Every structure is written in C-alpha cells, then in structure tokens.
Amino acid sequence: MNYKIVRLNTVAKSEITSSVLIIYTGGTLGMAYDRTGALVPFNFGQILEKIPNLTNMNIAITVISFPEPIDSSNVNLHHWVDMAYIIHENYDSYDGFVILHGTDTMAYSASMLSFMLKGLSKPVVFTGAQLPISEMRSDARENLMTALEIATSKANGKPIVPEVCIFFNHMLLRGNRSKKVQSVHFDAFESENYPPLAESGIIIDYNYAAIQPFEEGKKLEYFTQLDNNVMVIKLFPGITSRVLDSCFATKGLKGVVLETYGSGNSPSEPWFLDSLEKAIAKGIIVLNVSQCNGGRVIQGRYETSRDLLRIGVLSGGDITTEAAITKMMFLLANEKSDAEVRRKLVQPMAGEMSLTGVALG
C-alpha cells in the first residue's frame, strides 16, 4: 500500500518532548468542504490551519494516510491488517499512536487491534468526530488534541495508557469495551460494562485502577491472519427454524455470535435447540452474548438458557458483540484447534471481558 506521509513542523526540534504517529484511515474528522460545497478529505499538511493550537503541544507529529480514505462502513479485514502493520513498523519511533477513524465501525476496529497487537505497551488511541473539522461547532478539534495528549502522556517515564482505547467527547474508553450508541449527539460511545479509563475537563483525570498496567520489556508482536467465516445472529420474537437453519447452512461457516435476550435467554422450543445442537455437532462454534447494552450472559440462571449450556453454547459473559465477533475472527485464524478457540473465547485476552462474567457463565 502506498501510504501518504506528512511530517508536521509544529515546533522547533529543541522544544520537542514527545512524538506521535497519526494514522488517518478516513471518517468525518478529516473532511472539509470544497468550493462546490461537497465534503472531501482535506490535506493533513494544512492541519495547522484548522488547529493552530497544535503548535503549543511540543509534539513531533507525523501523519500517515491511507491512499484512499475509507468510509468506516467499508472497513474490512485487510484494513485492520494495514493499521496493525503501520503501528508495528513504526513502533520504536513514536511514543504513541492516534488512529483517525469513522465512528460507525470504530468499536470493531479498536476491538480487533487489541487482539492483533500482542505485547502492546504504548497508547493506541482511536478518535474521530461527528462533525467535519471545517465546521464551526465541530468536535474534531477537541477530540484530536486530547487524543494526542493522551497518546504522549507519561508518568515516571512510562506511558499512562498502554492499550488500545477510544477517546470521544471527554471520555477515554477501553477500545474492546466500547460501543457506538449515538449518531446525532457528540457522546457517540459508551462502555456500559467497564468504567472509563479517563475523563477530560480542565485536566485529564485518569482512572489508574481501570487502565492496563504498563509491563516493562514487552515486545510487540502483530498478527496478520484473520478468518471472517463468522456470523452474528440476533434473536427476535418470531424467528423461524427456516431462518436459523439457513444461517447455519452457510458454506464455510465456522463461528456464530448469538445475540440473545437479557442475561443470555433464548426460545426454549425444541426446533430452536435442535438447530443449535446440530450446528455445534458440525463443529460450528456458538458464543452467547447479550443484546442489552451492559448485558451479561449467565447461562443457566433462567430455565430458558439452561439448555444452551447443556448443548455446548459458550457464554460470552459481559463481552460486547463488537469484541466477540472480532475475537472470534482472530482466534479462528490463529489457534491450532477448535478446543483452543473455545477455551480462549470465554477467557479474557485483552481486558475485553470480566473474569466474574466468565465464572458466572
């Protein structure tokens, strides 16, 4: 891929205290109106015209842009590989990384990178905007400047937030715990099952107890193999055996994230359980997650979920759908056996689920 690289002359070399790499994938933040009134990607070489306060941050900033900015609705596996590759190749040269990304699939991308970047010990901060940076009331400026500050913040010489996260509208959230919940308000993301990592106001107030601790001497390893022979099936009243059987009959299907009701409940009709049991017998892995924002699967808590546990459906605990499906793609491609995939799906790998949620499921 022919990346576009821009190095911003924000401050004199003698004043630089840290460095950050911005990866621009696309999205609303990097858009501006052209002469015809159409929104087009703007030249990041001119970002100082949009955010002159960047010169006050004493940060050396480099921007790597995808050759063609993408709408986040078009994000695919190879884009995740590209993001991970850029971070891996430039890892030793920067204190932190900021990924500018469209909001629609940001939680999916942040979740996937948390699995792909094993041994991460530097901040990778996803951010974006609900309004283009050229708009008077745009949230882009504050989101970007605070993301840059977080990406380069240290305590006792060590990064404060050495993990993949999302910063949006004053809140720093763990990436693989996040979910987009708003399309018309600035507070686009929530993390119902995990506390914020930080909140920005006059200062950035870090919740140190919630942040992954920095581990000295960790070596970054990134993975390039992903498997998208997966599916999300959301239950709804009136779902039929014909629909469910056709889903499980998809050629090459290896894994299903099953979005159930409440704490993991599902229909108890024989045809439903029979369809699931036949799929599991064929080797399809089924992971149970809650449809609720902030839901937690506890299979067996109610009679309607007891049979799911019996036939081999796995409990996702308090994992989000976004983290569940990306984790499944990752594990299916990188584990040698289905038994290992099943074992790791119900255990936290990158802080994406609670141990308590696993124990209860």
Side-chain angles (χ1 to χ4, degrees):
M1 182 179 272
N2 297 316
Y3 305 109
K4 299 176 183 177
I5 302 175
V6 175
R7 290 180 172 83
L8 303 180
N9 296 316
T10 53
V11 291
K13 286 185 178 181
S14 59
E15 298 175 356
I16 292 173
T17 57
S18 53
S19 61
V20 66
L21 176 63
I22 296 175
I23 303 170
Y24 175 59
T25 68
T28 301
L29 186 147
M31 307 295 280
Y33 291 101
D34 66 11
R35 293 179 181 177
T36 69
L39 277 172
V40 296
F42 82 93
N43 181 355
F44 267 90
Q46 300 171 340
I47 195 171
L48 295 180
E49 298 175 12
K50 306 290 184 183
I51 314 179
N53 287 343
L54 286 176
T55 57
N56 299 327
M57 298 186 73
N58 294 348
I59 299 173
I61 301 173
T62 301
V63 182
I64 291 183
S65 299
F66 278 18
E68 295 295 332
I70 53 172
D71 186 298
S72 72
S73 298
N74 291 321
V75 164
N76 214 321
L77 275 65
H78 72 267
H79 296 122
W80 290 330
V81 173
D82 287 341
M83 293 178 212
Y85 171 81
I86 292 171
I87 292 171
H88 182 263
E89 290 300 298
N90 294 277
Y91 192 67
D92 293 334
S93 301
Y94 297 92
D95 295 298
F97 303 85
V98 171
I99 300 180
L100 305 183
H101 194 290
T103 58
D104 286 345
T105 58
M106 187 184 292
Y108 290 92
S109 294
S111 295
M112 181 59 91
L113 258 65
S114 75
F115 304 126
M116 294 178 72
L117 297 171
K118 184 179 179 181
L120 182 70
S121 59
K122 294 182 180 182
V124 174
V125 186
F126 279 81
T127 196
Q130 296 288 64
L131 286 174
I133 200 168
S134 56
E135 288 277 0
M136 182 73 69
R137 295 178 50 251
S138 176
D139 52 337
R141 297 173 187 84
E142 181 177 347
N143 284 350
L144 177 55
M145 290 191 66
T146 308
L148 288 168
E149 184 174 348
I150 292 167
T152 55
S153 291
K154 295 183 179 182
N156 300 318
K158 299 174 182 178
I160 294 178
V161 190
E163 60 176 288
V164 180
C165 46
I166 290 176
F167 178 79
F168 220 91
N169 192 46
H170 309 293
M171 304 299 291
L172 183 70
L173 309 175
R174 175 165 292 168
N176 56 31
R177 292 285 195 150
S178 304
K179 181 182 289 289
K180 184 178 180 182
V181 296
Q182 289 284 354
S183 61
V184 295
H185 298 292
F186 287 141
D187 53 343
F189 292 89
E190 287 182 358
S191 173
E192 287 293 329
N193 281 336
Y194 198 76
L197 305 185
E199 185 170 357
S200 70
I202 296 174
I203 62 169
I204 300 177
D205 185 16
Y206 290 100
N207 182 5
Y208 290 94
I211 297 171
Q212 293 269 32
F214 176 82
E215 294 183 37
E216 198 78 51
K218 290 173 70 175
K219 181 176 175 60
L220 181 69
E221 180 182 2
Y222 87 110
F223 294 79
T224 61
Q225 300 302 310
L226 304 172
D227 191 332
N228 62 351
N229 288 295
V230 296
M231 181 184 296
V232 176
I233 299 177
K234 184 169 186 170
L235 298 187
F236 58 92
I239 191 171
T240 65
S241 59
R242 185 178 66 256
V243 168
L244 200 61
D245 288 343
S246 65
C247 289
F248 286 129
T250 302
K251 186 178 180 180
L253 183 65
K254 297 179 181 178
V256 168
V257 171
L258 185 69
E259 282 198 352
T260 57
Y261 309 122
S263 56
N265 301 313
S266 67
S268 55
E269 286 96 334
W271 68 261
F272 179 82
L273 295 170
D274 184 59
S275 182
L276 281 174
E277 194 165 13
K278 286 178 179 177
I280 293 168
K282 287 195 305 183
I284 295 174
I285 297 170
V286 181
L287 181 66
N288 185 358
V289 304
S290 176
Q291 294 181 11
C292 303
N293 286 353
R296 183 192 300 272
V297 169
I298 311 174
Q299 288 189 157
R301 183 176 192 177
Y302 296 99
E303 185 178 356
T304 50
S305 67
R306 198 169 297 149
D307 285 328
L308 298 182
L309 188 63
R310 175 182 59 80
I311 66 177
V313 174
L314 303 174
S315 171
D318 60 1
I319 197 170
T320 64
T321 296
E322 292 87 342
I325 197 68
T326 52
K327 184 178 181 181
M328 188 175 278
M329 290 183 196
F330 175 81
L331 290 174
L332 285 169
N334 292 286
E335 294 301 326
K336 295 180 180 179
S337 69
D338 285 352
E340 274 300 287
V341 174
R342 290 186 174 91
R343 186 180 71 81
K344 291 188 176 182
L345 274 174
V346 298
Q347 296 292 330
M349 290 175 53
E352 76 283 359
M353 62 198 306
S354 303
L355 278 169
T356 53
V358 176
L360 291 169

